[in-house]
Amino acid sequence: MADAVIANWDGHDYQARFFWIHASGLRDPEKAHVVEVSYEADGPKGFDDVVVRYDPGMESRRPFRIMTAHHQVKFHVNQAGRFGYADLIEPDFIGAEKISILERLRDAVKKAPAGSTFTLVTTDRIFDDDPLNGLIRQSDKALNTDKLFDGTTDRSAMGKIRKLWREHLGLNDNDELKAIVETFHIIDCYHSLEAMRENVDLYFKLVGLAAGGNSLEYKYDGAARKLKATQRNVLTRQTFEEICVEQGWIKPPLADNRKNISIRSFSDGPTDYLDAAPENTLSLHHMFDVRHLQPGADWNTDVRPAVEEFIFRVRETDKNIRLFLDSHSSVAFLAGALLGFKTNTHVELNQKGRGPTTVWRADDDKTGPRAVTSVIDIGDGPDVAVAVSFSRDAIADVEEYVRAKVPDIGRILHVVPENGTSQKSLVGGEHAADLADQIAGAVKALRPAFGARRHFFISGPNAFTFFMGQHRDSMGPVTLYEFDFKGVVDGSYHPSFRIG
């Protein structure tokens, strides 16, 4: 019983933190379209945990602007939870006795105003082999209705899903089903409770509000409950400001005002839009299918010009920026090359990882041990490969790929952290910048022949990769590579940008 009570408390705290992350947009002058954020609001039952309203409507990949985004937030205390498409018709999936989440969705679509979307946010994970996995668009976590309604019969793989859902909802045809599920998003395997606490602190910091402190009880959890108890749980820009003043949450303005800049080739779900204003965001989602280029797209003729044009504009207008890189490592390297030491642009980076999101700067005093380097001779070619094994040990995959695919590479410079390869091997921005300096020096010490290329295979945080890219001018021609982590293509490396 005690464990159940704690789980219930944690679930409420998780929902509260999701609410505050969205509420921070009410104080961001670059997010003027966020006009109302509600906590446990009077809305469509089942999708009323957090409701966000926009005016004007938020741009999306749908044929309509999103006017209202409804969220159901489900937290579980461990990572054992798994689900698939069939679970969406089971009431116990959402802890109910009679009504499934799909029935909740059907009823919500009927009652909600035009321009509404409905999102399930859960710490549970979709089964790896369940067809639902292939139906979630990485760009916005919506269901891929083009794939689901592919014109096949009910005996097909997609047909079985349609039939199960259609009959469960008592619908007459697939058109009725499509009208319901095309509003649906599923965000599985979402952040931990502690990471959500850190994210609230980060988003509040970005809009000039105080962090929640280092005490055992996180003050913003209780504040959300009190809003509900006092019926002040529907926040507008004005009422949120009044509460911030009343509670003393507003920090004195800082002299170092930075503009948020975001480059995205991945999606982080319903908080993507909070990173930066639309005019300060470069979205590359349409060029990628999850981590891989869409058919017909090219790294050098499509992706690179888009990044270059965006960064050149940023360089001309802003000298102090906070850069959000939810992107491939190649994009992070290119951004660093374009925002190099001679551009007079001071950059701090929003770094995400297994732990809480943090801000990294080259001068943040977060230092750590140097890296250990070794050189592997594999042939007579003039080029040099640089294998960086910070987050995972990449050398076996790199060596196998290089021997089979890149005969021009004669040596591999392998770099590992002195404290061992792990997701937390780098402690902060200054540590990452120092290691980038060390690697650039080690490459130079190899004295590659004139015209030889440097081939980078990086397994590490994007902030480090950005700092590494800042050394591009001094290193010579560079080719970058992306790894097929999920084995969608061949489980190996693929070249991306050729710079210089």
Side-chain angles (χ1 to χ4, degrees):
M1 178 64 70
D3 289 343
V5 171
I6 293 173
N8 186 53
W9 289 346
D10 286 347
H12 283 292
D13 292 346
Y14 193 86
Q15 178 181 323
R17 295 171 193 186
F18 188 85
F19 161 73
W20 287 123
I21 289 171
H22 281 279
S24 69
L26 293 168
R27 205 168 190 271
D28 191 337
E30 297 184 2
K31 308 292 189 309
H33 58 292
V34 182
V35 297
E36 184 182 284
V37 182
S38 304
Y39 174 73
E40 294 189 351
D42 294 328
K45 188 172 178 59
F47 290 93
D48 53 0
D49 289 345
V50 177
V51 179
V52 186
R53 302 189 192 282
Y54 309 100
D55 186 15
M58 189 171 66
E59 292 284 2
S60 72
R61 301 191 72 175
R62 301 180 179 283
F64 60 87
R65 285 177 175 264
I66 299 174
M67 304 302 296
T68 309
H70 305 78
H71 303 88
Q72 178 172 141
V73 183
K74 292 297 179 185
F75 172 82
H76 290 116
V77 295
N78 58 52
Q79 299 184 41
R82 297 290 187 273
F83 67 98
Y85 77 90
D87 293 291
L88 301 186
I89 72 168
E90 301 295 338
D92 61 1
F93 173 63
I94 55 172
E97 295 183 0
K98 296 180 179 180
I99 305 296
S100 71
I101 190 170
L102 282 183
E103 289 172 314
R104 296 285 194 208
L105 177 65
R106 176 199 60 198
D107 297 341
V109 170
K110 291 179 182 178
K111 297 177 181 178
S116 292
T117 58
F118 306 89
T119 301
L120 169 66
V121 181
T122 177
T123 52
D124 288 346
R125 181 178 300 169
I126 300 173
F127 287 113
D128 291 340
D129 58 352
D130 193 276
L132 183 61
N133 237 331
L135 283 174
I136 308 299
R137 289 200 311 241
Q138 184 66 15
S139 59
D140 59 0
K141 302 299 183 179
L143 288 184
N144 186 338
T145 52
D146 290 339
K147 185 174 182 179
L148 178 59
F149 298 91
D150 58 359
T152 57
T153 68
D154 284 350
R155 293 188 297 273
S156 68
M158 292 295 103
K160 292 177 181 178
I161 300 175
R162 295 192 303 267
K163 183 175 186 293
L164 180 69
W165 291 356
R166 190 179 63 239
E167 292 180 351
H168 172 67
L169 295 177
L171 303 176
N172 295 317
D173 54 44
N174 287 331
D175 288 340
E176 291 183 345
L177 178 63
K178 184 176 182 181
I180 293 171
V181 300
E182 68 180 358
T183 66
F184 194 32
H185 302 69
I186 299 176
I187 305 174
D188 70 323
C189 199
Y190 207 54
H191 305 302
S192 69
L193 182 63
E194 182 61 27
M196 291 291 277
R197 172 174 176 157
E198 296 291 339
N199 285 340
V200 173
D201 285 348
L202 176 63
Y203 281 110
F204 272 30
K205 175 185 175 181
L206 296 180
V207 296
L209 299 178
N214 194 33
S215 62
L216 184 61
E217 183 176 356
Y218 188 58
K219 68 180 183 182
Y220 292 121
D221 295 339
R225 291 192 292 270
K226 289 178 181 177
L227 288 180
K228 177 64 176 177
T230 56
Q231 298 183 0
R232 302 173 72 189
N233 53 316
V234 179
L235 300 183
T236 64
R237 299 183 84 85
Q238 179 179 341
T239 58
F240 184 46
E241 188 68 15
E242 291 171 354
I243 289 171
C244 291
V245 172
E246 171 189 304
Q247 298 298 318
W249 294 347
I250 299 176
K251 296 194 304 180
L254 299 176
D256 183 20
N257 292 321
R258 294 179 181 274
K259 180 174 288 187
N260 291 355
I261 304 294
S262 175
I263 303 177
R264 290 188 167 275
S265 53
F266 304 145
S267 174
D268 195 31
T271 58
D272 280 358
Y273 76 94
L274 293 173
D275 291 346
E279 63 270 21
N280 297 321
T281 299
L282 173 64
S283 174
L284 303 169
H285 292 160
H286 62 287
M287 298 186 188
F288 292 92
D289 182 5
V290 190
R291 297 190 69 94
H292 299 278
L293 282 172
Q294 293 278 9
D298 182 82
W299 280 99
N300 292 290
T301 60
D302 298 312
V303 182
R304 182 176 171 183
V307 177
E308 289 177 337
E309 180 182 358
F310 181 75
I311 293 292
F312 289 154
R313 177 171 63 82
V314 169
R315 281 179 10 187
E316 291 176 357
T317 58
D318 303 289
K319 296 304 178 186
N320 290 286
I321 67 174
R322 181 178 294 109
L323 186 58
F324 293 73
L325 288 169
D326 288 288
S327 67
H328 295 72
S329 65
S330 298
V331 174
F333 189 102
L334 177 60
L338 297 171
L339 292 168
F341 303 120
K342 298 179 182 180
T343 61
N344 196 31
T345 303
H346 190 272
V347 183
E348 64 179 32
L349 298 112
N350 195 66
Q351 178 58 53
K352 297 180 179 179
R354 176 173 292 173
T357 300
T358 53
V359 174
W360 287 21
R361 298 193 314 272
D363 58 353
D364 61 12
D365 295 325
K366 295 179 180 178
T367 60
R370 288 172 62 81
V372 177
T373 61
S374 59
V375 178
I376 304 171
D377 293 313
I378 61 169
D380 299 324
D383 291 0
V384 172
V386 182
V388 179
S389 295
F390 287 167
S391 300
R392 70 176 185 91
D393 191 346
I395 189 59
D397 290 320
V398 171
E399 188 169 353
E400 179 183 15
Y401 175 81
V402 165
R403 289 184 183 277
K405 301 290 187 179
V406 197
D408 287 341
I409 295 176
R411 292 171 290 176
I412 301 175
L413 174 67
H414 187 212
V415 186
V416 296
E418 185 180 282
N419 52 340
T421 295
S422 77
Q423 294 291 330
K424 298 183 178 180
S425 60
L426 275 64
V427 299
E430 188 163 341
H431 190 201
D434 289 345
L435 293 181
D437 295 346
Q438 179 189 349
I439 294 169
V443 172
K444 185 176 181 179
L446 292 177
R447 301 181 65 82
F450 179 79
R453 301 195 71 81
R454 288 71 167 161
H455 302 255
F456 276 84
F457 303 81
I458 298 176
S459 175
N462 268 356
F464 160 78
T465 308
F466 174 89
F467 292 134
M468 194 74 252
Q470 290 188 309
H471 288 276
R472 209 295 303 176
D473 286 345
S474 65
M475 288 191 298
V478 166
T479 299
L480 303 170
Y481 295 82
E482 293 289 335
F483 189 69
D484 178 24
F485 284 103
K486 294 189 176 182
V488 175
V489 178
D490 56 10
S492 185
Y493 284 96
H494 297 267
S496 57
F497 297 131
R498 286 177 59 90
I499 308 175

